Amino acid sequence: MSQTLGRTNLAYSRKWHLLDVGADSRSLGRLASQIAIVLMGKHKPIWDPSTDCGDYVVAIGCNGLHTTGKKRFQKKYYRHNTRPGSLKEITMDRMFAKWGGAEVLRKAVSGMLPKNRLRDKRDIFRIKPSFAGLIQSN
C-alpha cells in the first residue's frame, strides 16, 4: 500500500484555465485574487505552501478589464531604480494606453502572490495575459 495518499503525478498535473476578462463582470481585484488562487494551487486538495502545484491561466480580452470608482484615472503605479530623483509614476489609464490591460492584470496578480522563492515560477511562466484581443477560431 502506498504511503503517499493523494500525492501522485495525476494530482500534481497542471490544467489550463481560459478566462475571458472582457466578458466577466467581476472587477480587477476579484479577478486577480481568483487567478492568484489558481496559480498557487489553493483550489486543489493537495495544496502545500512549499510545493509548486498550481495551474496555468490564459486571460483573453484584457482591454475590457472592469474597475470600480475612479481607480482607472486616480490609481498610480510607481517604479524606482535606486538612483536619486528617479521615482517614476504612471496612472492606470496611461498604463492601459501604453501597454494594455494585460500589464495591469499582471501587476495586480503579482501583488497577490506570496513573496517567496516560488513567486517567479508562478508569476512569470504561468499567467499569459498577452492576448489583448479575443482568440479567433479558424
Side-chain angles (χ1 to χ4, degrees):
M1 178 135 188
S2 175
Q3 294 296 320
T4 55
L5 262 164
R7 309 260 186 216
T8 61
N9 287 339
L10 182 61
Y12 281 104
S13 65
R14 301 184 193 279
K15 289 176 50 181
W16 286 87
H17 298 269
L18 180 66
L19 180 66
D20 189 4
V21 176
D24 204 334
S25 63
R26 292 179 289 180
S27 65
L28 170 65
R30 294 189 184 268
L31 279 172
S33 64
Q34 189 63 39
I35 291 172
I37 287 171
V38 171
L39 288 177
M40 287 185 285
K42 287 184 105 174
H43 64 290
K44 294 183 177 184
I46 60 156
W47 179 75
D48 183 34
S50 64
T51 59
D52 189 18
C53 59
D55 290 341
Y56 299 100
V57 176
V58 175
I60 60 171
C62 292
N63 288 334
L65 199 60
H66 174 68
T67 57
T68 57
K70 298 180 182 179
K71 284 189 199 79
R72 184 145 179 167
F73 305 103
Q74 292 179 348
K75 177 161 177 51
K76 295 182 180 179
Y77 295 96
Y78 297 96
R79 65 183 187 274
H80 195 279
N81 67 0
T82 68
R83 302 283 295 175
S86 67
L87 180 66
K88 306 287 184 191
E89 67 179 34
I90 186 170
T91 61
M92 186 186 287
D93 192 44
R94 290 199 53 215
M95 189 175 280
F96 261 97
K98 192 170 185 178
W99 292 299
E103 185 64 24
V104 173
L105 182 65
R106 184 186 297 271
K107 282 187 175 286
V109 171
S110 176
M112 292 184 183
L113 290 174
K115 281 68 175 177
N116 58 17
R117 70 179 87 164
L118 296 175
R119 181 187 179 106
D120 291 335
K121 291 180 187 176
R122 291 173 177 153
D123 188 22
I124 296 172
F125 296 114
R126 291 232 214 94
I127 184 168
K128 308 288 185 195
S130 57
F131 301 108
L134 295 175
I135 295 176
Q136 298 179 5
S137 60
N138 293 343

